[in-house]
Amino acid sequence: MWGRDAGLREPYRNFHAWFDQEDPKRLRAKNREAEDLFRLTGITFNVYGRSEAEERLIPFDIIPRIISGSEWAKLSRGIDQRVRAINAFLHDIYHTQEIVKAGRIPKEMIARNEAFLPHMIGVDVPGGVYTHIVGIDLVRTGPGEFFVLEDNARTPSGVSYMLENRETMLQMFPELFSKNRVQPVQHYPIDLRRSLAACAPKAAGANPTVAVLTPGIYNSAYFEHAFLADQMGVELVEGHDLRVVDGRVAMRTTHGYKAIDVLYRRVDDDFLDPLNFNPESQLGVPGIMDVYRAGGITIANAPGTGISDDKAIYSYMPEIVEFYTGERPLLQNVPTHRCSEPDALAYVLDNLEDLVVKEVHGSGGYGMLIGPTATRKDLAAFRRKLKARPKNYIAQPTLSLSTVPIFAQKGLAPRHVDLRPFVLVSPDGIKITPGGLTRVALKKGSLVVNSSQGGGTKDTWVLEE
Amino acid sequence: MLGKTANGLYWMYRYMERAENAARLIETGQRIALTRLNQTDKEWASVLRSGDCLQGYTATHDEMSRDLAVDWMLRSKDNPSSVVSSINAARLNARLVRTAITGEVWEAVNSAYMTLKKALGRKVSERELPSVLRLIRHHAALVRGVTHGTMLRNEIYDFARLGTFLERADNTARILDVKYYVLLPSARSVGSSIDNVQWESILRSVSARGGFRMEYGAGGGPREIADFLILDKRMPRSLAFCAGELSTNLGFLAKGGDVGQASRNKVRALENGLLSKSIDDIFRHGLHEFLQTTLKDLTAISRQIEEEFRFYA
């Protein structure tokens, strides 16, 4: 909210004037009201590993994160460029691998990568689109300065929070939206449906049938799956509702089996098809990969996109962007030390207390080390892990992240945030919803924003220019 | 619509109806217990039997008492037909079919779940019981109301209605069957206060007391009560009314196709059976036998619907 010189930043001016006149007691009551609203609408996530499936709320903070129109425009150009590059990269990697031939990425980074899916070699995906939905995790370090923390090109989640957080703010503080010209996000589900339909395979008719595939009611993101299907007006299916019928993937309806053209799957690659991948999977559809390869269905996102958001590949993103777009990358990468390289490993071991170390295939903020806040015991443990399996890790410097205030017990208090904008890709182009999911580390000084570890969310405003 | 979704809708509404019926049965039992000081334990056994949960109760309890019976019907997680179990199952199914119901219906079900989870979180004292039972009925009414007011009249609605009326018909038939002997002409002892209480308890269990009085004034005996609850098409909990609703909704579902015809035929047979009979015919052939056949028919109809509309496979 405040710049480095401690002055109020322009996009927050209107909001701050409003906030100053508000009674903190009323706001606190509003905060509780928001929680009740979330519980009633069922915006909860399930916690794994509990005997009784427990539903929890992700804490919501009523202070919006505000981004100016011009800053957003600049950011969008960078996201657009990066997403184009990711799709071109995926096509290349599963076809002729020009980038490897050109010596820009070492061959073993692809061939030995667990996220590389040999089943996808030579497959021409419908509409040429691999990543129909992308979430790019960013942090802001200063005016107009964003770094990409991570690309999410498999099945990025959290978009329901972007929509429901806005809905909640609109219900609680309508007056704020008449004073601030906030760009809307509510059209996302319709855009998503259009975008998915535009990627339908040749086998589809004029009005493609779209469905959302969920692992089921006990999945931690079930609410989001149901929410998106509901908002798009399409069926929410599970593996046992589907079967291959006459060369198409079809769902069991009350009046027989009906073919699906586009499947927005929220099931990981490994569980998608017990005949082709994990034979134990109950969540997928036996034979769907064969239908897919024959052009009978669109799977969104395409299987095998994990190779592009792998943390080891991440460090090559600047090269990837340049190679495929012929442009300088507009978004910066956090400088990354690949521990698989001996020099880098030596550096990381020497400077561990200043670095963030992540597992190459990890997610959810688990299995990582934050040097500056780690205990001596943690540091020693990680040194051992690094020496034992250096390939498994990358390391990055801690950035001086900008903060956004939250509404804490004693009024406003600064906390670290990240931002995940959502991007839709179709043959018609790339669409970025103005806003996204802002996750906030609610604990003072913490850098971990993951909901599984005490993070919360905020509404994200992009103002009109 | 997905077969799984039809299944979820059907059971969501069956369980909502079941929760409400259980609350009504408890209320009736409680009233009898308060007005008749003797024989109350026997009365609770009959209440449990009406709620189809006597077997489970006797398997887990050594004695019959008001407290235990009420708790079993209200809060027990071991009793699949208790209010808590029913509301949990209704909400689980509502989550499954979240995309088929309106946001308002989901919120009504979720709010029923959240409120009742709190209200039934610990043992309900005799003093609190009336207000807790009111709360259950209130929430069930809310779900029914938003369903009526916000849902499209399409096949989604039809499956919701099928669930509601199969459960309701089953419930009415069971209540009548448990008490059938007090309705028999042979048991008729006009003016005896015992029978008045019994008759009234039957009417109360299906919320028919007001309607019956409106229709028959201070008169009317067991024959009229049986007629009212079995054959009167204006009474929304009578077997004839429920059969009519089932027939109408299956008619919509089976329109212009083969799917649904077998279920429809079964319901039509039930409906015609009710329309062609007078209450005296039913008494002549045996009320108990008639109700037993009806319960069997309802089970067969439910099976046929599940199979024909591909609920499971």
Side-chain angles (χ1 to χ4, degrees):
Chain A
M1 188 180 285
W2 282 273
R4 290 227 165 94
D5 53 1
L8 185 65
R9 287 179 48 221
E10 180 58 27
Y12 282 93
R13 213 169 44 155
N14 266 336
F15 176 79
H16 192 261
W18 171 87
F19 183 82
D20 256 359
Q21 299 197 337
E22 281 293 315
D23 173 9
K25 261 196 212 134
R26 186 183 96 105
L27 288 180
R28 236 175 283 285
K30 282 283 181 189
N31 225 352
R32 280 192 298 273
E33 193 183 306
E35 290 214 341
D36 290 346
L37 218 59
F38 279 120
R39 271 198 204 283
L40 184 63
T41 37
I43 311 174
T44 52
F45 68 100
N46 299 334
V47 185
Y48 287 120
R50 307 257 173 153
S51 53
E52 191 160 333
E54 192 187 335
E55 293 163 25
R56 270 208 259 165
L57 286 184
I58 297 186
F60 173 71
D61 179 68
I62 57 171
I63 311 292
R65 191 250 189 94
I66 311 180
I67 300 168
S68 76
S70 55
E71 195 167 59
W72 177 259
K74 190 177 164 204
L75 182 58
S76 306
R77 284 192 294 278
I79 295 173
D80 185 285
Q81 180 195 50
R82 195 166 175 111
V83 170
R84 269 187 290 132
I86 287 175
N87 268 281
F89 170 70
L90 284 164
H91 184 269
D92 186 27
I93 283 307
Y94 289 117
H95 289 79
T96 52
Q97 303 202 342
E98 298 299 328
I99 196 167
V100 177
K101 288 180 191 156
R104 305 292 289 270
I105 289 187
K107 191 174 173 51
E108 67 269 16
M109 282 310 298
I110 306 297
R112 297 253 178 97
N113 197 315
E114 284 171 32
F116 180 75
L117 203 61
H119 301 74
M120 288 299 290
I121 296 171
V123 175
D124 286 314
V125 299
V129 178
Y130 282 84
T131 59
H132 308 77
I133 300 113
V134 189
I136 308 272
D137 287 354
L138 302 151
V139 283
R140 185 175 178 277
T141 50
E145 204 179 67
F146 284 91
F147 281 87
V148 176
L149 283 184
E150 198 173 299
D151 303 289
N152 294 281
R154 300 169 208 212
T155 48
S157 62
V159 76
S160 56
Y161 291 93
M162 169 182 89
L163 295 164
E164 286 292 352
N165 287 353
R166 175 64 51 83
E167 205 51 48
T168 304
M169 288 298 280
L170 278 168
Q171 283 196 29
M172 289 198 308
F173 305 113
E175 72 274 17
L176 269 176
F177 291 86
S178 48
K179 288 190 190 123
N180 291 276
R181 292 174 54 211
V182 181
Q183 296 191 36
V185 294
Q186 285 90 336
H187 47 76
Y188 178 85
I190 298 300
D191 288 346
L192 175 61
R193 181 167 181 175
R194 284 206 188 113
S195 188
L196 289 170
C199 297
K202 288 197 190 80
N207 196 3
T209 302
V210 178
V212 177
L213 175 65
T214 174
I217 195 161
Y218 296 111
N219 182 267
S220 64
Y222 177 79
F223 161 74
E224 177 157 299
H225 308 158
F227 176 86
L228 287 174
D230 184 37
Q231 295 280 311
M232 286 196 284
V234 305
E235 294 290 0
L236 177 67
V237 298
E238 291 175 44
H240 58 81
D241 297 316
L242 305 180
R243 126 179 345 170
V244 175
V245 180
D246 300 332
R248 302 293 310 274
V249 174
M251 52 187 171
R252 192 183 76 247
T253 75
T254 51
H255 290 72
Y257 277 86
K258 187 184 175 205
I260 293 173
D261 300 311
V262 183
L263 190 63
Y264 175 20
R265 49 89 175 220
R266 297 292 295 258
V267 169
D268 292 344
D269 284 357
D270 199 28
F271 297 102
L272 203 49
D273 184 347
L275 292 184
N276 283 283
F277 307 123
N278 183 350
E280 302 288 306
S281 172
Q282 305 278 320
L283 307 175
V285 190
I288 188 173
M289 274 307 282
D290 306 315
V291 175
Y292 182 62
R293 277 195 294 254
I297 190 168
T298 297
I299 300 178
N301 289 351
T305 53
I307 188 72
S308 67
D309 69 9
D310 183 76
K311 287 197 181 70
I313 292 291
Y314 166 86
S315 60
Y316 293 95
M317 275 312 285
E319 284 96 330
I320 288 172
V321 171
E322 245 184 85
F323 187 79
Y324 296 105
T325 65
E327 303 158 7
R328 298 283 306 153
L330 298 172
L331 285 177
Q332 308 189 62
N333 241 30
V334 182
T336 302
H337 309 281
R338 304 167 191 133
C339 299
S340 54
E341 298 168 6
D343 290 356
L345 178 63
Y347 175 83
V348 171
L349 289 170
D350 283 347
N351 297 281
L352 204 53
E353 50 285 333
D354 300 324
L355 297 169
V356 175
V357 186
K358 295 176 178 170
E359 275 184 37
V360 173
H361 301 294
S363 72
Y366 287 105
M368 67 191 251
L369 174 86
I370 299 173
T373 58
T375 62
R376 216 176 271 176
K377 215 173 123 196
D378 292 340
L379 288 170
F382 248 81
R383 273 206 182 85
R384 280 195 299 277
K385 285 193 199 171
L386 277 164
K387 283 181 193 154
R389 295 190 64 197
K391 267 191 195 162
N392 214 20
Y393 297 93
I394 55 157
Q396 296 168 336
T398 52
L399 303 174
S400 65
L401 302 184
S402 69
T403 61
V404 166
I406 61 164
F407 189 59
Q409 279 304 318
K410 290 179 184 156
L412 296 182
R415 292 291 187 272
H416 293 299
V417 291
D418 76 354
L419 173 66
R420 177 181 292 179
F422 291 94
V423 189
L424 297 173
V425 187
S426 80
D428 303 338
I430 289 175
K431 205 159 182 161
I432 307 168
T433 308
L437 173 66
T438 292
R439 297 184 298 177
V440 52
L442 295 172
K443 257 187 268 161
K444 196 173 172 183
S446 168
L447 293 171
V448 186
V449 296
N450 302 76
S451 55
S452 46
Q453 298 196 45
T457 67
K458 287 168 162 293
D459 190 14
T460 310
W461 293 3
V462 174
L463 302 182
E464 303 267 357
E465 269 193 81
Chain B
M1 193 202 317
L2 294 178
K4 175 190 69 186
T5 308
N7 180 31
L9 285 160
Y10 176 83
W11 283 103
M12 168 189 157
Y13 282 91
R14 272 200 89 147
Y15 280 118
M16 279 312 299
E17 183 72 23
R18 192 171 292 178
E20 188 183 356
N21 291 339
R24 218 175 255 119
L25 279 171
I26 297 169
E27 205 163 11
T28 311
Q30 178 69 2
R31 176 164 286 273
I32 293 176
L34 294 181
T35 44
R36 299 176 70 204
L37 294 172
N38 309 325
Q39 287 194 312
T40 56
D41 293 351
K42 213 176 112 205
E43 199 53 48
W44 281 109
S46 129
V47 168
L48 288 168
R49 199 138 60 86
S50 300
D52 202 16
C53 54
L54 178 63
Q55 251 185 343
Y57 180 91
T58 46
T60 47
H61 298 75
D62 296 330
E63 50 165 339
M64 180 64 66
S65 78
R66 186 213 84 96
D67 275 7
L68 292 173
V70 168
D71 203 56
W72 180 251
M73 289 185 80
L74 212 47
R75 301 173 61 241
S76 174
K77 287 192 172 138
D78 300 325
N79 172 10
S81 295
S82 73
V83 173
V84 164
S85 301
S86 298
I87 293 286
N88 286 352
R91 179 174 181 264
L92 185 75
N93 279 291
R95 278 192 84 197
L96 270 174
V97 300
R98 180 62 193 80
T99 56
I101 53 181
T102 60
E104 285 177 58
V105 171
W106 159 252
E107 281 180 22
V109 176
N110 198 29
S111 131
Y113 166 81
M114 291 191 303
T115 316
L116 295 176
K117 191 176 175 185
K118 214 173 181 183
L120 300 173
R122 54 188 176 81
K123 219 166 185 146
V124 178
S125 71
E126 196 161 7
R127 184 188 291 187
E128 297 165 316
L129 188 61
S131 69
V132 167
L133 294 174
R134 218 172 9 248
L135 201 61
I136 298 165
R137 274 193 283 110
H138 172 86
H139 277 284
L142 212 58
V143 174
R144 184 165 44 244
V146 282
T147 300
H148 185 81
T150 67
M151 297 269 288
L152 279 182
R153 297 319 196 242
N154 56 14
E155 55 175 347
I156 293 174
Y157 190 76
D158 292 327
F159 282 109
R161 301 291 276 181
L162 291 184
T164 301
F165 287 105
L166 255 161
E167 182 67 24
R168 191 179 291 179
D170 188 76
N171 182 63
T172 299
R174 212 161 344 91
I175 287 172
L176 285 171
D177 197 36
V178 170
K179 294 272 177 177
Y180 83 94
Y181 53 90
V182 300
L183 292 171
L184 294 180
S186 57
R188 196 163 184 171
S189 49
V190 183
S192 112
S193 65
I194 293 168
D195 282 339
N196 276 342
V197 172
Q198 293 283 9
W199 299 344
E200 189 159 315
S201 87
I202 294 171
L203 288 169
R204 273 184 194 278
S205 325
V206 292
S207 272
R209 200 171 131 269
F212 188 76
R213 287 288 159 243
M214 197 181 279
E215 196 57 26
Y216 294 95
R223 182 180 168 280
E224 285 72 27
I225 291 174
D227 187 54
F228 195 59
L229 297 187
I230 295 172
L231 296 177
D232 198 322
K233 289 207 77 170
R234 300 163 305 168
M235 158 61 195
R237 296 189 163 264
S238 76
L239 296 181
F241 186 94
C242 295
E245 288 289 324
L246 290 173
S247 173
T248 308
N249 288 287
L250 270 169
F252 292 139
L253 283 171
K255 209 177 204 166
D258 297 335
V259 178
Q261 292 304 342
S263 312
R264 197 184 180 199
N265 291 341
K266 280 200 163 72
V267 166
R268 274 208 177 139
L270 176 74
E271 193 187 14
N272 289 336
L274 290 165
L275 289 177
S276 62
K277 284 190 184 77
S278 74
I279 197 67
D280 297 322
D281 294 339
I282 291 173
F283 275 125
R284 212 164 19 250
H285 291 103
L287 180 59
H288 176 61
E289 289 71 19
F290 167 79
L291 291 168
Q292 282 294 319
T293 311
T294 306
L295 283 167
K296 269 188 208 120
D297 288 347
L298 289 169
T299 306
I301 290 167
S302 184
R303 289 238 173 85
Q304 186 71 50
I305 290 171
E306 289 170 26
E307 185 186 313
E308 215 172 1
F309 293 104
R310 320 192 69 135
F311 280 14
Y312 306 107

